[in-house]
Every structure is written in structure tokens, then in C-alpha cells.
Amino acid sequence: MAPPSLPLPDCPSVAVLPFADPEGDFDTQALADGLSEHVTDALACTPGLFVSARNSAFTFKGRAVPPDEAAGRLGVAHVLTGTLSRTGTRLQVRARLHRAAAETPVWMQDLDADEGALHALRSRIVAATVATVAPGLALDAAPERAGPPLDAGVYAPFLSAYANHAMPSAESVRLRIASIEAVRRLVPEHPLPYALLAQCYTNLVVQGWSPDAAADCAEGTRLARLALERDAGDPAVLMMAGHTLAFLAQDYDAALGLLDRSLALNPNSAAAYERSGWVRCYVGEADGAAAHFRAAKRQSPLDPTTFRFESGLGLALCMAGAHEEALAWLDRSMAEDPTWTSTHRVRAATLAWLGRQAEAEAAAARFMELEPSYRIHRAMRLYRPSPGKERFVEGMRRAGVPYE
């Protein structure tokens, strides 16, 4: 039985499935992944176009899934597929645009160019896609960015780091930091490694994995500012730096400004919606936070880290007093990743507000097993005063989470 299809958005829509290397060469596949990333980013920055998030589209990597099925599961009207091969320094790209329920591709492009012309190939594919999917839209607002380095030896580990912000353990974060540092040393003027490193330090602190939180906060903040110095116009840099400055430096006004600019440049970024949702929780904008977490889930319905969207939505709903709905999302989040500590503490508070005291105390006990150093009075310094914060704090206290 095929999974149910999502309803289409009320605007032209497309997903870019990961291009494949038919020969299975690692370096060539890195370039194919890079081309998929670049095409997705350029389309995502086109106003008036809905583009399914990269993390959901890449769940189809290496799988023979009919374009029509992929379109239904991602909730889009069109799907772009392709292959990339390499002979010496020559690249052969075959791109196909499919319309849902159509038996044959809407258009096909067979392109041949030198490896250094990969950027130009991307532009041709993007232009043809927009002209077909939404012929009335202009590409003027889609920035022509140099993007990550195209040398495959550099790009492969960078792509892996860029694609996977969530990491399941302190050890995995440290390994990721080492990997990104290697890339940063090779391309010291590129902003994204700095932004990614900043997010790694944020992850260490938010999960309670940092042995020296003050030092990691300072380092993450430093890296975020260095990323912005190198490029304050890249939506990914704005998104990651904004989230870091909010969480590690509590510079909420600057953070929200950066996140809003990121979403203005790329209104199809599930990651930016998610991070904006967390920051809006910190400042007490529970309804706005919930709207952004819902947008993240729609933008990336198959995201491997959807538990983060659901955990954040649960927090926003708890702060808003919608505890029954909050619990439903928190249970889903916990089923998908039982180690994500944020879910446990919000779930404990929500259960307490629902009068399910024994379950609330069990949830609080499990949370303290995962993050024994957590104390409400210290952690809640992240949040500005608001009715939602008071509701969250009171729920945790009723559940038995230590205050001091």
C-alpha cells in the first residue's frame, strides 16, 4: 500500500531528488550531491516557489522510487531527477523534470561541459525548471553564489557536515568538529564551515554535553561572528549564526533579525523555520514559534531529524497552554529519538499540567538520568519573562525537575 500523498501547496512546487553517479564513484557522487544541493538552493531562493527541503528529498538517495510516488510523499507537483557522470575532466549531466501523474518527463536536458563549468550547468537546469514549473516567476532574486568548494576531496566531507546538523552523542559532535575543522583549514575564507562549527558548539551546550559550557558558548559565539564577517548575505550562514547567537549569547534581537533575513532570502528553509521556532520560544512568542515549527514539518515532511520539529512544536504548545496537543507531538518526537533531552523535560511539564502526576514524575526522572546537571533556575535564564515561560517552569517544578 502506497503512503498517503500530502496536499499540494497553493503555489508552484518542486522537489530536487539527489542526482546519481551511474558508475558509483565516490568523488563523482560528491559532485552529483553538490549539484543537487546547488540546484535546490537556487530554486529555494526563488520567490513564489515551494521547494521541498533537501533533507527530505535526500531520503530517496540510492532508491529506485517512481517520481510520482516521490512527488506525493513530498507534497509537490513536480520532481527533478538526474545523473552526473565524469570522463576525465568532462562532466555529463542528464536532467529530467517530471510532473505528477504524467507518464513521461516534461522536459529532458543532456548537458556536457568541463568540470569547472558545474556552476553554469546548475544555472541552466534552474532556469529551465522555473520556466516550466512557474513561467511567470523571475529568477532575479535567486542569488548566484559561489557555494561550497567544488573540489570533490574537499566537498564530500563538507557536504556531510552541512547536511547533518543533529548529532546523537557528544562523541559524534566532537568528531564532526574535527571533520569541519579540516575543511575550514582548506578554505579559511569560506563562511559555512565557521557557521557549522558554531552550530556544533550550540549542540554541545543545548544537550548538556559540554564539560565547560562557558568556554563552548564563547567559542560558538566567536565562530558565528566570524561566519557573518565572511558573508552576511548567505541564508544558511544567517540561519546558523542567528540560532547560535540566540542560544549561546542570548542576543535575541540580533538573532531574530538574522533569522528573518534568512527566511526572506530562502523562504523554503525548514532548518531556518525550526531555528526561528526555538528562538521565538525563548522570547515568549509561543504562537509564532508553533507556526514556524509547523512550517518546518511541511517543508521537510520526511526529514530524518523531524523529532526536533516535533519537540519544538511540543514546547511551543506547552507554553501556549495547549497541553493535549503538545503531548501528542512530544510522544511522536520521543518515539523517533528517545535521547533528545528537550523532549523529556517538556513532556514532564506537559504531563504535570494534565494532572498525570505519576507519569510526569517518571518523565522527569528519565530526563534527569539523561541530563543530571540540569537545573530550572539556570536553564530558564535563556528565556525572557513571559506567561509561556512561567507555565513551562511551573510544569517542570510540579513534575519534580530540580529548581536549584
Side-chain angles (χ1 to χ4, degrees):
M1 182 177 175
S5 295
L6 291 174
L8 294 177
D10 57 0
C11 61
S13 56
V14 65
V16 181
L17 300 193
F19 282 35
D21 166 32
E23 303 300 322
D25 177 72
F26 177 82
D27 287 348
T28 305
Q29 184 59 59
L31 287 177
D33 287 350
L35 179 59
S36 307
E37 291 273 358
H38 291 329
V39 170
T40 301
D41 287 346
L43 290 171
C45 293
T46 304
L49 192 63
F50 180 97
V51 182
S52 191
R54 176 257 184 229
N55 275 9
S56 282
F58 263 64
T59 61
F60 296 102
K61 183 175 178 178
R63 298 166 54 195
V65 177
D68 198 48
E69 179 182 335
R73 297 190 64 190
L74 296 170
V76 294
H78 295 82
V79 169
L80 181 67
T81 65
T83 62
L84 183 149
S85 305
R86 179 163 54 178
T87 305
T89 62
R90 301 295 295 179
L91 299 177
Q92 296 81 41
V93 176
R94 305 189 71 189
R96 305 287 184 265
L97 183 68
H98 308 263
R99 181 179 291 119
E103 294 184 1
T104 59
V106 178
W107 61 249
M108 300 180 285
Q109 285 193 347
D110 291 336
L111 308 172
D112 186 295
D114 188 77
E115 187 172 319
L118 190 61
H119 216 56
L121 294 181
R122 180 204 76 163
S123 296
R124 290 178 62 182
I125 294 169
V126 169
T129 300
V130 174
T132 304
V133 171
L137 297 182
L139 280 170
D140 296 345
E144 282 289 327
R145 315 196 62 82
L150 295 178
D151 176 78
V154 174
Y155 195 74
F158 180 89
L159 180 66
S160 174
Y162 183 45
N164 298 286
H165 298 294
M167 289 151 275
S169 67
E171 181 182 6
S172 68
V173 179
R174 296 296 180 189
L175 290 172
R176 184 57 50 80
I177 288 174
S179 174
I180 303 171
E181 279 287 3
V183 176
R184 186 191 63 78
R185 287 191 292 270
L186 289 168
V187 284
E189 293 309 311
H190 202 289
L192 283 175
Y194 293 88
L196 283 162
L197 286 167
Q199 287 284 271
C200 286
Y201 284 100
T202 303
N203 211 338
L204 285 174
V205 175
V206 72
Q207 286 294 91
W209 294 334
S210 175
D212 188 342
D216 284 343
C217 283
E219 180 64 3
T221 300
R222 182 185 75 87
L223 289 162
R225 297 194 190 283
L226 287 173
L228 290 169
E229 287 177 10
R230 282 159 174 76
D231 192 342
D234 185 309
V237 170
L238 292 167
M239 174 264 292
M240 288 186 276
H243 181 249
T244 294
L245 293 179
F247 197 90
L248 300 188
Q250 287 78 64
D251 192 350
Y252 298 121
D253 293 334
L256 286 172
L258 293 170
L259 287 161
D260 287 346
R261 283 171 56 201
S262 176
L263 283 167
L265 290 168
N266 181 0
N268 290 289
S269 174
Y273 280 120
E274 181 214 346
R275 285 157 176 76
S276 176
W278 291 112
V279 178
R280 281 173 163 77
C281 284
Y282 304 155
V283 301
E285 297 177 8
D287 291 341
H292 278 207
F293 285 122
R294 293 186 198 277
K297 280 192 65 65
R298 178 60 187 90
Q299 207 75 49
S300 192
L302 305 180
D303 203 296
T305 64
T306 191
F307 65 89
R308 294 166 63 113
F309 307 158
E310 293 157 355
S311 180
L313 181 53
L315 171 59
L317 292 168
C318 173
M319 293 178 70
H323 299 299
E324 288 284 1
E325 186 181 358
L327 183 61
W329 288 113
L330 294 164
D331 284 347
R332 287 179 61 170
S333 176
M334 192 168 69
E336 287 155 6
D337 188 340
T339 68
W340 186 249
T341 57
S342 176
T343 302
H344 289 269
R345 60 176 172 262
V346 183
R347 188 170 179 273
T350 298
L351 286 165
W353 277 109
L354 291 171
R356 295 161 61 171
Q357 189 62 26
E359 293 174 81
E361 291 174 4
R366 177 56 182 148
F367 165 59
M368 295 310 298
E369 289 175 7
L370 293 169
E371 196 173 334
S373 64
Y374 186 92
R375 296 296 182 270
I376 293 174
H377 85 284
R378 184 170 65 240
M380 286 297 104
R381 292 172 185 168
L382 283 172
Y383 292 71
R384 285 179 176 172
S386 72
K389 173 187 176 180
E390 295 308 312
R391 188 175 288 115
F392 182 31
V393 167
E394 179 61 21
M396 285 193 289
R397 293 188 67 161
R398 292 185 188 185
V401 177
Y403 188 79
E404 297 186 21

